[in-house]
Amino acid sequence: MVDASSVPQTGIIRPQDGAQTLKRSSIYLRISLDHTGEGLAVERQRADCERIARERGWKIVATYTDNSISASDKANVRPDYDRMVRDYSNGRFDAVICWDLDRLTRQPRQLEDWIDAATEPGLLLVTANGEADLSTDGGRLFARIKASVARAEVERARQSAAQRQRAAMGRPPRGVRPTWVARGSNCISASSSRTPLRRSSG
């Protein structure tokens, strides 16, 4: 048995294999922003995940919920996610049910931890939308592409916010220096004008 205190937050240690006919499953629920604080979205996720467990005859041994916590920023602490990782490492369950793969994680490094855990017989990971099957090459490829796209969307959003901030401050966008901005200039003067393009008459 793995000592829970020795398990890093970002890693997943495979528990010792044991002969089991009844899958012990966990459910992970998460939404990035709960506008009302009523937890309605995670309750809808819970209903779908519990239905999957019933259909497969799995016993739910734990439910983990991180309500109104984003998974896009790796600096964010998700208490129940970290607890789930420790519980899996201690052999408490051998299946994870979540509504969608991006509810579980949006971090490529964390995804690789789950892929490692599911590559060999042991962990089963099931999503309510039926898209994730980390036991197959195609499923792992799909999961990696989805995580990469999600990461790119976050980075684009941050860059757009930074550009809007620079525009509000009267500063040119980062990147290639516009030809009408003097070298070394940090701001665009309101009185500055661009040289108009003129077509040659000859």
Side-chain angles (χ1 to χ4, degrees):
M1 192 68 69
V2 180
D3 181 5
S5 63
S6 66
V7 179
Q9 288 188 344
T10 57
I12 298 173
I13 299 176
R14 182 183 301 280
Q16 294 182 350
D17 294 333
Q20 295 171 346
T21 56
L22 176 65
K23 286 294 181 184
R24 301 164 303 156
S25 67
S26 68
I27 291 176
Y28 182 72
L29 312 170
R30 186 188 67 80
I31 188 171
S32 297
L33 182 60
D34 184 350
H35 292 282
T36 66
E38 298 175 296
L40 299 180
V42 294
E43 287 305 313
R44 291 193 294 270
Q45 294 179 21
R46 184 194 305 272
D48 288 340
C49 293
E50 289 179 347
R51 173 182 51 80
I52 290 175
R54 288 195 304 270
E55 291 174 350
R56 297 190 175 217
W58 292 353
K59 178 182 178 181
I60 300 173
V61 297
T63 298
Y64 307 89
T65 305
D66 285 317
N67 189 43
S68 203
I69 300 179
S70 173
S72 299
D73 189 343
K74 62 183 179 181
N76 283 350
V77 176
R78 291 190 283 159
D80 263 24
Y81 176 87
D82 293 337
R83 184 165 64 89
M84 179 176 63
V85 169
R86 291 193 297 269
D87 285 351
Y88 174 69
S89 299
N90 284 330
R92 186 178 182 189
F93 57 83
D94 41 30
V96 177
I97 306 173
C98 55
W99 193 82
D100 188 274
L101 193 60
D102 63 9
R103 299 303 88 197
L104 180 66
T105 183
R106 295 175 72 92
Q107 298 295 324
R109 178 60 261 173
Q110 289 179 349
L111 174 63
E112 291 300 323
D113 290 335
W114 290 110
I115 287 177
D116 290 345
T119 298
E120 298 178 3
L123 175 74
L124 287 177
L125 195 151
V126 179
T127 61
N129 62 12
E131 292 181 344
D133 183 0
L134 300 186
S135 65
T136 67
D137 291 341
R140 291 190 290 271
L141 176 62
F142 173 83
R144 286 173 173 134
I145 292 174
K146 188 169 185 176
S148 297
V149 170
R151 188 64 186 170
E153 290 175 348
V154 172
E155 291 174 354
R156 278 199 302 271
R158 289 174 178 170
Q159 291 173 358
S160 297
Q163 297 289 29
R164 288 194 298 270
Q165 183 184 33
R166 291 184 66 83
M169 298 171 64
R171 296 183 177 181
R174 289 192 179 277
V176 178
R177 178 176 59 85
T179 55
W180 67 90
V181 177
R183 186 177 300 278
S185 175
N186 199 31
C187 295
I188 301 176
S189 172
S191 61
S192 64
S193 60
R194 297 169 58 182
T195 303
L197 297 176
R198 299 183 183 276
R199 177 182 294 182
S200 172
S201 60

